[in-house]
């Protein structure tokens, strides 16, 4: 079996399976750990708090802004860019259509693809550098943080290098790294992709029932 | 202000002596880890698991924490305080625990001891960190769980432990018990006030605190005046007057329960419809949010903070106040446990509005206000003095930014910490109590 | 390893690099010669081909296709451009970069590493906050990536292709092109950000000329006064801005050929881009040398943000005096353990 066949075949199926099973396992596991009843009289609705915080938390409070603005701006550049790339870049939509879903949707124009990629790279590089430069993040970051960031960066980079869509080795490299990322994902902090609505929700519910808008 | 500064200084001296008064705990050395883990295992539920799974080490929490802001020491990064809990969770409870056991070493007793400073002397559980976290992680709640584990392991810092042990074994705090509250009541009666105590039945049970009995006597007097002025059916009870809960502060749940249950059972016996918590921060959540859970059932009475009660009476038109005038420039300091953790923001401001003062909000106010530095028992831990001072310096800047001549608050330990800081730095700004302002300006 | 053997190793490595660069222009494939002088041959098609070649024609022809220069069938100046690029530019560029590298090497062999004046004091002072260091390293990483991919596009055919073979090299060349084109515009963003942060401190000021005349103290041990940035740094800053702007704007002309650029403009842009890039790379070698090996105590200003007090006093005395005016607050005990501290947690957790 050639490396290309391996990457397009067994390794793809294996990494996709580990990804799906791992994510579901971890999510279900953490959400079914039970909770204790709260007999105190609520002041307001916890559910409303859980939903409200999920939206509000996208907009950091002005009180904190001066100390966090680099991370917030870089964070949004990266995350919004990545989201746009994953779901609206033509090569990815082609992949979903051919390998996963059987259908696709309109892709963004080439110039938008380039622009969005650049913004995503800018955000990610700033975030990685900030993690290394800032004393707090340098102190609390572990191997996993750097491995996760590096993997994402390499996947994005190899995608960029293969942009001409004319050389099989470049495509295979990109796919291989993406599959490594899928394998790594459920074991890492990258899970925040799926856990964030729940962690925000729990906090929103807790403070919501106390009548505090967080 | 009739604060006896000798008593204030005496307080400070006594706090320095507290560590010597602490008794050894009943936890044998080889049991510490086991007991801590048992607490963690019991307390880590879905919400905490989700929090612990969600941290991406972004470090934003540090930028919201007054202790990090003032020291610039990454050691005080809030999420770092949860390292112990996180490691336990990964090995023992996480869905991927079988994988984590390959990569995550066991927590050790040395780890427990290293965590003590992080969750006790350098954290007031103020909750500001949780406000900035993009993942919405409630770090303060999990700091408390860590305290609960350390408490069972006998690792409460000595000064705090001394007071918790006193409240646990004798039911008193700093020696203030039924006799002392009776004495305080007698003193007030000698001044001409009617003070109902130990009534058989009453609609409202009013609590007090050691700090009010010993130091802020005007606050107690003002409370009495207001309750009488309102003409409600109320009482103090010598068996259940202490709002402060050192079980909650130290994380020792048995004492937290016994202290709140003492109040709950007395309120039930009185047939009370309302329990009013005095000007004290943690006393509010102790009864309002945790009282029912310690009781195991919904409470058959309402719980209000004194500032909350006063505000509601003003809003409903039952309480009228003499205006002090708009040339009184004040700012309001929300005690963290009453405001951010309690939900009481509007009511104290309604009182200040009725007093007609010029209220100027601090740059960070209401839900984002900065902690005074004295909460969560920090004011009885001598080792926390540098932290308290650092937090005070930041709070001082916040107050001065308003240009107000006085800062009003509704919490005794906030007042103590602000006063201590004012003394240390020769600060001229007045520090006032909300209920004392109300008591002095009741309109007939 | 000892200093002597380290210097010897550097010497050997640099010689090798120098030699490789010298060889760069050599394995150029057979060049097409200049058009031969016309020989009159009774070729029935010569008139046709003369017209096709547009040798005599000055204007353009017409074509069904609409666009910029679609009336031009065969570009005359293209041949000149191609010859220039392959014969003159690439060879000289390689020589130039190698020469600069060699000069730096010679300087290092002669002068050695410039130590911190009076040795380390053990006390530190803050020089660059997080944002400055983040932006600097962003610029540096982008620069290195663009330089490597750019050099591949320039020299690769002559240096790498013979070694790797055509197939493998075409993969690398395509990857380099895509990478170079995508990251190029980001470089402009990075240098604009650096400009915003540092331009004010790089304006010429009193003492700059004297610093320059004294050679910045790199010859001999004379103490030279300087502010936050010395004259050498200011020259580098403005070079970065000028060269960076040149390379970015010419790069943008090249990467977005949709604004009516004809071949001449594109060729000009490529030459300008190349010249600016080569000068930039050569300059960066000097900057990297001075910031790392060349001057003790400099690199940490950009990694930790702190510098030793003696470094500050010795190299930037006017800045040091201002910064420590506010009392000893700015001077902190050497917490290099804080800056380089191990992660706070003791576990080996990976995820």
């Amino acid at each position: 079996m050639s490396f290309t066949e391996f990457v397009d075949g067994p390794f793809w199926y294996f990494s996709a399976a580990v990804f799906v099973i791992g994510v579901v396992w971890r999510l279900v596991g953490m959400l079914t750990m039970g909770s204790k009843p709260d007999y105190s009289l609520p002041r307001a609705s916890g559910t409303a708090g859980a939903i409200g915080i999920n939206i509000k938390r996208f907009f950091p409070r002005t009180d904190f802004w001066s100390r966090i603005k680099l991370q917030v701006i870089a964070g949004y550049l990266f995350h919004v860019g990545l989201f746009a790339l994953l779901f609206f870049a033509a090569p990815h939509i082609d992949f979903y259509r051919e390998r996963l879903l059987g259908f696709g949707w309109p892709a963004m124009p080439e110039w938008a693809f380039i622009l969005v990629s650049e913004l995503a790279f800018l955000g990610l590089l700033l975030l990685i550098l900030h993690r290394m430069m800032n004393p707090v993040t340098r102190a609390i970051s572990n191997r996993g943080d750097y491995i996760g960031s590096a993997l994402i960066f390499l996947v994005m980079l190899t995608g960029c290098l293969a942009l001409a869509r004319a050389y099989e080795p470049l495509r295979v490299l990109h796919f291989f790294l993406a599959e490594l990322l899928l394998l790594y994902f459920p074991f890492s902090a990258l899970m925040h992709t799926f856990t964030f609505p729940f962690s925000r929700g729990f906090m929103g519910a807790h403070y919501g029932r106390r009548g505090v808008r967080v | 202000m009739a604060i006896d500064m000798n008593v204030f200084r005496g307080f400070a001296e006594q706090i320095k002596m507290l560590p010597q008064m602490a008794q050894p705990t009943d936890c044998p050395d080889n049991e510490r880890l086991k007991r801590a883990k048992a607490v963690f295992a019991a307390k880590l539920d879905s919400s905490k698991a989700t929090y612990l799974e969600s941290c991406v080490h972004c470090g934003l929490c540090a930028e919201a924490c007054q202790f990090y802001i003032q020291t610039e020491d990454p050691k005080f990064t809030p999420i770092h305080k949860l390292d112990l809990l996180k490691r336990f969770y990964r090995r023992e409870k996480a869905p991927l625990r079988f994988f984590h056991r390959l990569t995550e070493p066991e927590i050790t007793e040395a780890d427990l001891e290293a965590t003590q400073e992080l969750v006790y002397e350098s954290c007031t559980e103020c909750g500001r960190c949780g406000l900035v976290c993009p993942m919405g992680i409630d770090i303060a709640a999990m700091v408390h769980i860590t305290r609960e584990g350390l408490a069972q392991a006998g690792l409460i810092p000595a000064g705090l432990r001394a007071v918790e042990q006193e409240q646990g074994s004798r039911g008193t705090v700093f020696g203030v018990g039924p006799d002392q509250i009776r004495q305080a009541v007698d003193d007030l009666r000698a001044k001409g006030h009617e003070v109902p105590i130990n009534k058989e039945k009453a609609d409202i049970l009013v609590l007090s605190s050691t700090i009010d009995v010993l130091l802020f006597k005007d606050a107690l007097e003002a409370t009495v005046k207001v309750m009488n002025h309102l003409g409600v059916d109320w009482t103090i009870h010598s068996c259940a007057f202490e709002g402060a809960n050192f079980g909650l502060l130290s994380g020792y749940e048995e004492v937290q329960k016994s202290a709140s249950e003492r109040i709950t059972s007395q309120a039930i016996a009185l047939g009370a419809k309302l329990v009013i918590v005095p000007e004290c921060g943690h006393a509010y959540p102790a009864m309002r949010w945790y009282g029912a859970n310690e009781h195991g059932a919904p409470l058959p009475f309402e719980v209000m903070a004194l500032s909350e009660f006063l505000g509601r009476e003003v809003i409903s038109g039952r309480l009228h106040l003499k205006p002090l005038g708009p040339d009184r420039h004040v700012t309001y300091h929300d005690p963290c446990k009453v405001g951010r953790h309690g939900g009481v923001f509007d009511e104290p401001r309604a009182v200040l509005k009725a007093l007609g003062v010029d209220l100027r909000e601090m740059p960070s106010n209401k839900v984002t206000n900065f902690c005074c530095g004295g909460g969560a028992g920090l004011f009885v831990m001598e080792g926390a003095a540098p932290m308290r001072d650092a937090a005070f310096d930041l709070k001082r800047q916040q107050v001065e930014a308003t240009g107000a001549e006085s800062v009003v608050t509704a919490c005794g330990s906030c007042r103590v910490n602000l006063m201590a800081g004012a003394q240390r730095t020769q600060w001229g700004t007045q520090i006032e109590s909300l209920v004392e302002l109300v008591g002095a300006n009741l309109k007939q | 390893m000892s200093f002597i053997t380290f210097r010897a190793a550097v010497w050997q490595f640099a010689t090798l690099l120098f030699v490789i660069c010298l060889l760069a222009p050599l394995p150029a494939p057979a060049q097409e010669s200049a058009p031969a002088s016309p020989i009159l041959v009774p070729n029935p098609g010569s008139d046709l081909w003369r017209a096709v070649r547009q040798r005599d024609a000055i204007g353009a022809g017409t074509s069904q296709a609409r666009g910029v220069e679609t009336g031009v069938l065969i570009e005359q100046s293209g041949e000149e451009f191609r010859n220039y690029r392959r014969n003159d530019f690439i060879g000289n560029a390689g020589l130039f970069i190698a020469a600069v590298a060699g000069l730096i090497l010679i300087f290092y062999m002669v002068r050695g590493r410039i130590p911190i004046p009076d040795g380390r004091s053990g006390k530190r002072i803050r020089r660059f906050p997080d944002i400055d260091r983040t932006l600097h390293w962003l610029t540096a990483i982008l620069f290195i990536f663009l330089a490597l991919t750019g050099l591949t596009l320039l020299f690769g055919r002559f240096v790498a292709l013979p070694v790797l073979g055509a197939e493998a090299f075409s993969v690398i060349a395509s990857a380099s092109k895509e990478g170079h084109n995508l990251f190029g515009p980001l470089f402009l963003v990075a240098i604009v950000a650096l400009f915003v942060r540092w331009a004010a401190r790089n304006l010429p000021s009193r003492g700059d000329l004297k610093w320059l005349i004294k050679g910045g103290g790199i010859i001999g041990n004379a103490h030279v006064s300087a502010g936050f940035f010395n004259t050498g740094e200011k020259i580098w800053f403005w070079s970065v801005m000028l060269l960076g702007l040149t390379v970015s704007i010419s790069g943008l002309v090249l990467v977005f050929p949709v604004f009516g650029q004809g071949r001449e403009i594109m060729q000009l842009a490529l030459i300008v881009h190349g010249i600016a890039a080569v000068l930039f790379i050569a300059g960066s070698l000097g900057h990297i040398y001075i910031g790392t090996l060349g001057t003790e105590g400099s690199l940490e200003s950009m990694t930790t943000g702190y510098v030793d007090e003696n470094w500050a006093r010795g190299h930037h005395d006017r800045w040091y005096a201002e910064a420590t005016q506010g009392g000893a607050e700015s001077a902190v005990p050497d917490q290099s353990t804080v800056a380089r501290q191990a992660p706070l947690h003791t576990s080996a957790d990976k995820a």
Side-chain angles (χ1 to χ4, degrees):
Chain A
M1 179 186 299
S2 71
F3 187 66
T4 303
E5 285 166 339
F6 175 66
V7 166
D8 283 335
F11 195 52
W12 154 243
Y13 295 121
F14 177 65
S15 60
V18 168
F19 174 74
V20 171
I21 294 172
V23 167
V24 170
W25 179 276
R26 203 163 154 181
L27 270 181
V28 169
M30 77 187 194
L31 292 174
T32 54
M33 244 177 244
S35 60
K36 302 186 185 24
D38 191 341
Y39 297 116
S40 66
L41 188 71
R43 189 179 268 129
S45 161
T47 313
I51 296 168
I53 190 183
N54 264 296
I55 299 164
K56 273 197 80 187
R57 243 349 123 93
F58 284 119
F59 308 101
R61 291 168 176 275
T62 46
D63 279 65
F64 306 118
W65 186 245
S66 66
R67 293 184 73 101
I68 65 174
K69 52 180 184 267
L70 174 66
Q71 276 189 288
V72 173
I73 293 172
Y76 273 121
L77 281 176
F78 166 64
H79 284 94
V80 173
L82 186 65
F83 186 85
L85 281 176
L86 278 176
F87 295 111
F88 295 103
H92 296 146
I93 296 175
D94 291 342
F95 178 80
Y96 303 142
R97 184 191 306 109
E98 282 153 33
R99 302 292 295 271
L100 275 178
L101 303 168
F103 65 86
W105 51 87
M108 58 182 156
E110 181 86 3
W111 64 263
F113 184 10
I114 302 292
L115 180 67
V116 143
S117 315
E118 285 171 350
L119 295 175
F121 272 115
L122 181 64
L124 182 58
L125 280 171
L126 284 172
L127 285 175
I128 293 175
L129 286 171
H130 178 272
R131 186 180 284 286
M132 297 197 288
M133 296 291 131
N134 176 270
V136 169
T137 49
R138 191 165 51 215
I140 64 176
S141 295
N142 57 26
R143 258 191 341 245
D145 298 310
Y146 292 110
I147 293 174
S149 318
L151 261 179
I152 298 258
F153 180 75
L154 286 174
V155 171
M156 285 168 65
L157 183 67
T158 50
C160 155
L161 298 180
L163 214 49
R165 298 180 85 177
Y167 292 91
E168 193 70 346
L170 294 173
R171 176 193 75 82
V172 170
L173 184 60
H174 177 60
F175 273 53
F176 176 64
L177 284 166
E179 286 158 21
L180 275 183
L181 181 66
L182 286 178
L183 263 185
Y184 183 71
F185 193 104
F187 300 95
S188 70
L190 292 171
M191 275 293 294
H192 74 276
T193 312
F194 299 109
T195 63
F196 85 88
F198 300 107
S199 54
R200 288 182 182 183
F202 279 122
M203 170 174 273
H206 172 84
Y207 280 92
R209 78 193 295 285
R210 295 186 182 198
V212 183
R213 280 185 296 278
V214 289
Chain B
M1 266 197 313
I3 296 177
D4 187 341
M5 291 311 285
N6 288 323
V7 176
F8 180 73
R9 277 184 283 274
F11 237 173
E13 287 310 307
Q14 256 208 301
I15 287 170
K16 289 198 177 83
M17 307 271 285
L18 280 175
Q20 298 153 30
M21 289 158 60
Q23 304 296 313
T25 65
D26 67 345
C27 183
D29 278 341
N30 57 357
E31 284 267 308
R32 289 195 203 279
L33 204 51
K34 197 163 122 199
R35 291 194 188 181
K37 283 175 159 187
V39 171
F40 297 158
K43 296 277 176 169
L44 289 176
D45 61 6
S46 282
S47 61
K48 313 302 180 289
T50 306
Y51 295 144
L52 292 172
E53 297 274 6
S54 300
C55 175
V56 294
H57 293 140
C58 74
L60 256 55
C61 52
E63 306 299 341
C65 172
Q66 63 265 11
F67 299 122
Y68 173 74
I69 289 172
Q70 292 296 87
T71 62
E72 301 263 304
D73 188 344
K75 180 169 81 165
F76 299 122
T77 304
I79 198 68
H80 174 55
K81 298 174 193 293
L82 302 184
D83 226 46
L84 185 76
L85 202 59
K86 223 187 248 190
R87 287 170 56 195
F88 168 83
Y89 168 77
R90 286 204 183 118
R91 278 189 69 98
E92 309 290 332
K93 293 206 82 168
L96 290 181
R97 57 191 174 276
F98 304 105
F99 164 74
H100 289 304
R101 280 178 196 161
L102 301 170
T103 58
E104 193 81 58
E106 268 276 20
I107 55 175
T108 64
E109 209 177 286
D111 294 327
L112 287 184
E113 281 158 20
T115 305
Q116 196 191 41
E117 184 203 358
L118 299 180
V119 298
Y120 278 107
E121 280 108 329
S122 60
C123 180
T124 53
E125 297 182 20
C126 78
R128 210 163 183 271
C129 45
L131 292 181
V132 78
C133 174
M135 305 296 298
I137 297 171
D138 191 350
I139 298 174
M142 290 188 289
V143 165
H144 194 73
I145 291 175
T146 309
R147 281 196 181 193
E148 289 181 315
L150 291 183
Q152 288 300 323
L155 287 170
I156 305 168
L160 184 56
R161 190 167 85 236
V163 190
E164 169 266 307
Q165 284 169 337
E166 185 196 338
Q167 189 171 33
S169 57
R170 295 201 294 277
T172 62
V173 173
F174 281 93
V176 173
D179 292 338
Q180 283 70 26
I181 189 70
R182 283 207 186 90
Q183 182 62 54
V185 167
D186 288 342
D187 291 344
L188 288 169
R189 283 171 175 169
K191 286 176 89 170
H193 298 293
E194 272 196 42
V195 189
I197 180 168
N198 296 357
K199 274 159 78 167
E200 286 269 326
K201 294 282 172 202
D203 284 342
I204 302 178
L205 172 62
V206 171
L207 305 178
S208 182
S209 71
T210 294
I211 280 190
D212 285 357
V213 168
L214 291 181
L215 188 61
F216 298 130
K217 301 186 189 204
D218 283 359
L220 183 55
E221 181 174 0
T223 309
V224 165
K225 278 177 75 175
V226 173
M227 300 308 292
N228 287 339
H229 177 83
L230 288 167
V232 290
D233 173 20
W234 71 284
T235 188
I236 289 177
H237 207 288
S238 63
C239 294
F241 69 90
E242 179 65 73
N245 189 324
F246 278 82
L248 175 59
L249 289 177
S250 61
Y252 199 60
E253 204 178 349
E254 282 97 316
V255 174
Q256 177 188 351
K257 183 171 176 177
S258 67
S260 72
E261 277 294 275
R262 180 177 300 127
I263 296 166
T264 301
S265 50
Q266 192 61 62
I268 291 172
L270 286 168
K273 299 198 189 68
L274 170 65
V275 170
I276 295 181
V277 166
E279 286 194 336
C280 175
H282 73 280
Y284 181 61
M287 286 307 297
R288 178 67 178 87
W289 301 116
Y290 307 132
N293 297 333
E294 296 301 327
H295 189 59
L299 298 175
F301 50 84
E302 266 193 275
V303 177
M304 280 194 214
L306 185 54
S307 55
E308 188 182 6
F309 174 74
L310 294 172
R312 294 224 194 155
E313 295 301 292
V314 161
I315 291 168
S316 68
R318 286 191 290 269
L319 181 59
H320 299 282
L321 301 173
K322 287 190 283 205
L324 289 165
D327 53 341
R328 271 292 279 271
H329 312 295
V330 310
T331 187
Y332 185 69
H333 164 71
D334 294 276
C336 300
K337 305 300 181 328
V338 180
R340 189 162 33 247
H341 289 279
V344 176
F345 297 109
D346 299 333
E347 293 86 345
R349 285 167 173 80
V351 171
L352 290 172
K353 186 157 167 225
L355 283 169
V357 297
D358 171 31
L359 172 62
R360 299 166 177 190
E361 299 283 7
M362 290 181 264
S364 285
N365 59 68
K366 297 199 194 126
V367 76
T368 58
N369 83 322
F370 276 104
C371 176
C372 70
L378 251 69
F379 77 101
V380 295
M381 290 188 270
E382 246 332 89
M387 293 286 109
R388 293 198 304 261
D389 292 346
F392 170 81
D393 290 339
L394 181 51
K395 192 78 213 184
R396 176 184 170 163
Q397 284 167 36
Q398 291 273 310
V399 171
E400 287 177 350
T402 67
E405 289 104 35
S406 97
V407 52
V408 180
T409 188
C411 165
S413 48
C414 292
R415 268 175 98 184
V416 163
N417 205 50
L418 291 173
M419 282 172 63
Q423 238 189 7
R424 177 177 57 89
T425 61
Q426 309 292 307
W427 196 35
T429 303
Q430 289 238 64
I431 299 154
E432 302 191 87
S433 139
L434 189 72
V435 71
E436 285 178 22
L437 277 177
V438 169
N441 296 286
L442 293 168
K443 195 194 284 189
Q444 296 308 324
Chain C
M1 85 169 87
S2 81
F3 190 57
I4 306 292
T5 52
F6 177 65
R7 281 167 75 150
V10 171
W11 180 239
Q12 285 162 25
F13 174 72
T15 312
L16 187 63
L17 199 64
F18 190 93
V19 168
I20 288 176
C21 287
L22 277 180
L23 287 175
L26 288 182
Q31 296 148 18
E32 290 174 16
S33 48
S37 46
I39 300 168
L40 284 166
V41 183
N43 181 340
S46 61
D47 287 337
L48 171 67
W49 291 113
R50 192 175 299 117
V52 167
R53 195 71 200 265
Q54 289 178 276
R55 207 179 296 225
D56 306 321
I58 300 163
T62 52
S63 149
Q64 290 279 27
R66 297 298 170 103
V68 178
E69 293 181 341
T70 44
V72 177
L73 193 57
I74 294 176
E75 170 82 40
Q76 283 284 59
S77 66
E79 182 65 18
E80 285 151 29
F81 165 76
R82 186 163 164 272
N83 290 333
Y84 167 74
R85 181 175 176 272
R86 287 216 185 177
N87 302 342
D88 299 323
F89 182 76
I90 287 178
N92 291 331
L95 272 172
F96 179 69
I97 292 176
V100 169
L103 280 171
I104 292 173
L105 189 67
I106 290 169
F107 177 78
Y108 173 66
M109 306 305 303
V110 169
R111 183 69 168 86
R113 185 171 217 211
I114 297 171
I116 293 177
D118 305 320
R120 282 191 182 270
S121 68
K123 293 211 293 287
R124 305 185 319 159
I125 178 175
R126 177 131 221 188
R127 184 160 166 82
F128 290 117
D130 294 353
I131 178 75
D132 286 351
R133 284 151 38 228
T134 302
L135 286 174
H136 169 269
W137 289 114
L138 174 71
T139 309
I141 287 170
L142 288 173
F143 179 84
I144 289 174
F145 180 77
L146 290 166
L148 288 174
T149 49
L151 288 172
T152 304
L153 293 169
L154 190 63
F155 292 123
R157 178 194 286 263
F158 311 108
V159 174
L161 194 153
V163 175
L164 300 169
E167 263 197 55
F169 176 69
S170 64
V171 170
I172 288 173
S174 174
S176 295
K177 173 179 156 293
E178 299 299 333
H180 195 86
N181 290 356
L182 193 112
F183 281 90
L186 283 182
F187 189 72
L188 182 60
V189 172
I191 60 172
V192 166
L194 277 182
F195 182 86
V196 167
R197 287 292 305 168
W198 287 342
R201 273 178 278 181
N202 279 291
L203 293 172
S205 61
R206 186 185 54 84
D208 278 345
L209 197 55
K210 207 189 286 184
W211 190 98
L212 199 58
I213 290 168
K214 285 193 177 179
I218 56 172
I219 320 285
N221 278 318
H223 167 81
V224 197
S225 179
F228 188 91
F229 286 130
N230 61 40
T231 316
E233 287 168 315
K234 291 183 184 181
I235 291 173
W236 175 239
F237 176 84
W238 293 111
S239 304
V240 167
M241 291 302 136
L242 184 67
L243 291 171
L245 210 61
T246 307
V247 92
S248 298
I249 291 177
S250 56
L252 287 172
V253 167
L254 290 166
V255 84
F256 296 115
V258 294
F259 296 110
Q261 301 102 303
R263 288 179 185 77
E264 275 206 38
I265 291 181
M266 292 295 268
Q267 286 163 6
L268 183 64
L270 194 64
I271 297 300
V272 165
H273 192 80
I275 292 174
V278 166
L279 289 172
F280 211 167
I281 290 171
S284 77
L285 292 176
H287 171 72
I288 292 170
Y289 166 74
I290 287 282
T292 55
L293 194 56
T295 321
E296 186 191 6
S298 293
L299 182 58
E300 60 211 57
S301 71
M302 207 37 93
T303 51
T304 69
Y306 289 87
V307 292
D308 189 272
E309 284 208 331
N310 283 349
W311 182 96
R313 206 186 286 116
H315 294 301
H316 300 275
D317 58 324
R318 293 203 305 274
W319 166 65
Y320 176 73
E322 263 173 48
T324 48
Q325 221 171 52
E329 297 171 33
S330 348
V332 296
D334 193 330
Q335 289 169 37
S336 45
T337 44
V338 171
R340 285 193 296 274
Q341 71 188 41
L344 288 170
H345 49 86
T346 51
S347 73
D349 65 322
K350 205 175 71 140

